[in-house]
Amino acid sequence: MARAPLAALSTMLNRTSHRTRPLPALELAARPRPWLRALGLTAVVLAGAWLGLLIVGNVRAPVGPMDTTMALRPSLQGGTKINVSPLGALTLDSHVAPVRLDVNVDQLDPLRSQALVDHPERISGLQQEVARDVEHGTLDLAVRSCVAVVAGATALGLAVYRRPRRALAAGGLALTLLAASGASAYATWNPESVLEPRFSGLLSSAPSVVGNARSIVTEFDVYQKELARLVTNVTKLYDVTSTLPAYRPDPSTIRVLHVSDIHLNPAAWKIIGSLVKQYQVDVIVDSGDTMDHGTAAENGFLDPVRDLGVPYVWVRGNHDSRTTQHYLERMRNVRVLDDGRARTVAGLRFAGIGDPQFTPDRSAAPGGEASERLAGDRLASALRDQRTAGSPVDVAVAHEPTAARETDGEVPLVLCGHLHHEGTELLPYGTRLRREGSTGGSGLRAVERQYPAPIEASILYFDRDSRRLQAWDAIKLGGLGLTTAEVSRHLADENRPGGPDASHSPSPGSTDGSRSPSPGSTGASRSLSPRSTGPSRFPAPAASATSP
């Protein structure tokens, strides 16, 4: 009789067991997926390595007479940043890797500095001493960084996973990541980056003197003066702190200040005046759009040009009218370029053409790029005529880049503007196109954007004998209400270390790759464009017998 209840109980247990079989499957589904675990481990490795570098990844090292702190920091672009607090920072594109080398100059050691003063003969060996100090410092930094990333990633891994094996795996991955970054930096190391540094500085007193954007409106004259003082201070500091062994302009160098697209910003004249004095500029080139609407009522804005103290070469932009042009033509120090006419100013021969379009009031129907190309063709034809007459042009000027490109092969250098951001382009037939940004910070358009457009200008250095561009400094200031500034040095290719020899410049029409010297030449000519993809169509001016 007892068998029946036992059978029923057995049946119930079997049903219960059958119902509970899916539970292990549910447990497996709840476990994290492999890619989520890998993502979590990666986050732990990166965060731990970063914390390790921040906490113990610094090395204090003497570099010459200075006490410095070196550190590696995560970065998407790599490079080297030398901080000279509170004056500013020098940035070098030294390598491409997910880590950046930061060098903070803490102070000058008084004993080592005094030793240099007492024994000036030691200065000759200072460069080798600094190189040794930097090498020792980076070796110490590499060892400490390895320890820092492994310790940081291991400690964080232990805190998160609470398993020694996982923590050690995190430390090993961090060390592998740092080693791969070091290999990438070594493979992409660019020692020539020191030749083209970027200096950025901050005028610490400007916020208290200038105030916020609202006070700029009411005290605009103060703001203009502070901007001029800012660019003077930063360029002086750049000249003192940067060492550019490949190119140092000598007193005979022709210095040209290139400005463009001022667009009725009165602060531009203070900045231009400061740059003229600071760099001892010989001539200013304005590639147009000085005005906004080109009306006669705006002409008074141009009066400060008379007081700049140097020649002012100007071409008409699409915001400049014929009325603007006629007003400037009456100023004694202004040289208006149009229709390809050439003028010799400060030892350089310029030729240019005004923009064929006048867009503010639509009084002339715009012809688009076709009219710009036609204007460029007219300028190129005038350049050929000048060369045939034995007076080749050194610098061509147009407002619009489309017109400027049509001069390729007819002139070594062409300057333009219009796009409100600077840039340099080497055209197929060897002409270098240099486009300037807006020296007026885009004028009133600056207040239409979330961030004001920067104020940009350039100093161009020309050899007086060959009349060729040797280098240029690109200057960028923060826009309306900002007080930051940046100066970067750029070298022409023929002036770089190990650049092409002058005697290997190709001659137009030659089959052996050699260039015949111009008539009356007593020295070799310099190649303008070693990277040019086509034959150069303009002869290089001959260097004098006394030039190096």
Side-chain angles (χ1 to χ4, degrees), residues 440-489:
S442 299
L444 293 176
R445 295 165 186 78
V447 299
E448 297 175 356
R449 307 178 183 178
Q450 182 179 2
Y451 300 102
I455 295 172
E456 296 178 287
S458 298
I459 303 293
L460 313 178
Y461 300 97
F462 289 83
D463 181 81
R464 188 170 294 274
D465 295 319
S466 67
R467 304 189 303 280
R468 290 296 176 83
L469 180 67
Q470 302 295 297
W472 66 94
D473 287 344
I475 301 166
K476 180 185 295 186
L477 283 80
L480 187 65
L482 304 181
T483 56
T484 56
E486 179 181 290
V487 184
S488 56
R489 168 68 54 85

Side-chain angles (χ1 to χ4, degrees), residues 127-187:
Q127 183 176 359
Q128 291 79 7
E129 179 185 347
V130 168
R132 288 194 303 269
D133 291 342
V134 170
E135 183 179 357
H136 293 157
T138 51
L139 287 176
D140 293 344
L141 178 62
V143 174
R144 178 168 292 224
S145 297
C146 290
V147 175
V149 298
V150 171
T154 302
L156 188 60
L158 192 60
V160 172
Y161 297 112
R162 300 182 183 279
R163 296 179 182 178
R165 185 176 296 179
R166 285 280 185 89
L168 291 175
L173 287 175
L175 182 60
T176 303
L177 178 62
L178 182 62
S181 301
S184 174
Y186 180 80

Side-chain angles (χ1 to χ4, degrees), residues 177-480:
L177 178 62
L178 182 62
S181 301
S184 174
Y186 180 80
T188 59
W189 182 254
N190 177 25
E192 292 186 1
S193 62
V194 72
L195 305 179
E196 296 189 357
R198 294 189 306 276
F199 179 82
S200 56
L202 179 67
L203 186 65
S204 57
S205 62
S208 59
V209 175
V210 177
N212 57 25
R214 182 176 298 177
S215 67
I216 289 174
V217 177
T218 58
E219 301 178 30
F220 195 78
D221 184 60
V222 176
Y223 175 66
Q224 294 180 67
K225 293 178 181 177
E226 287 303 317
L227 273 182
R229 202 175 99 194
L230 169 64
V231 72
T232 300
N233 290 347
V234 170
T235 51
K236 281 184 179 179
L237 184 60
Y238 172 78
D239 187 51
V240 171
T241 58
S242 64
T243 56
L244 305 173
Y247 178 73
R248 288 186 179 274
D250 58 55
S252 66
T253 301
I254 302 174
R255 294 166 169 82
V256 176
L257 171 59
H258 183 200
V259 302
S260 189
D261 295 87
I262 293 175
H263 284 290
L264 282 180
N265 186 348
W269 299 126
K270 297 287 186 181
I271 296 170
I272 291 172
S274 176
L275 290 172
V276 167
K277 294 178 181 178
Q278 172 66 26
Y279 282 91
Q280 299 178 350
V281 167
D282 298 294
V283 57
I284 302 170
V285 176
D286 185 342
S287 48
D289 273 6
T290 313
M291 312 298 263
D292 228 357
H293 297 88
T295 62
E298 296 174 341
N299 285 344
F301 170 77
L302 301 169
D303 290 343
V305 173
R306 295 189 177 95
D307 303 323
L308 293 175
V310 293
Y312 197 92
V313 176
W314 183 86
V315 296
R316 189 178 66 250
N318 59 294
H319 282 261
D320 304 317
S321 65
R322 296 280 180 176
T323 301
T324 304
Q325 181 164 320
H326 295 328
Y327 190 83
L328 282 169
E329 285 173 340
R330 292 194 292 269
M331 293 188 184
R332 180 173 298 180
N333 64 320
V334 175
R335 310 290 185 270
V336 173
L337 304 178
D338 201 3
D339 297 324
R341 292 191 298 270
R343 304 286 295 270
T344 299
V345 185
L348 294 174
R349 193 156 178 82
F350 297 89
I353 193 166
D355 198 299
Q357 302 186 81
F358 180 61
T359 56
D361 64 357
R362 302 291 178 181
S363 60
E369 288 194 5
S371 64
E372 298 292 348
R373 284 195 293 269
L374 182 60
D377 285 339
R378 290 171 54 198
L379 179 57
S381 177
L383 294 173
R384 285 192 293 271
D385 293 342
Q386 290 286 334
R387 187 176 66 241
T388 302
S391 54
V393 171
D394 304 309
V395 183
V397 189
H399 177 67
E400 225 271 3
T402 301
R405 288 190 179 93
E406 297 301 314
T407 66
D408 186 17
E410 308 297 344
V411 67
L413 176 68
V414 59
L415 304 179
C416 62
H418 185 66
L419 298 183
H420 293 200
H421 59 86
E422 65 91 22
T424 303
E425 182 180 348
L426 197 62
L427 301 178
Y429 287 95
T431 293
R432 189 187 302 275
L433 183 148
R434 170 69 188 157
R435 184 183 65 248
E436 191 52 75
S438 174
T439 312
S442 299
L444 293 176
R445 295 165 186 78
V447 299
E448 297 175 356
R449 307 178 183 178
Q450 182 179 2
Y451 300 102
I455 295 172
E456 296 178 287
S458 298
I459 303 293
L460 313 178
Y461 300 97
F462 289 83
D463 181 81
R464 188 170 294 274
D465 295 319
S466 67
R467 304 189 303 280
R468 290 296 176 83
L469 180 67
Q470 302 295 297
W472 66 94
D473 287 344
I475 301 166
K476 180 185 295 186
L477 283 80
L480 187 65

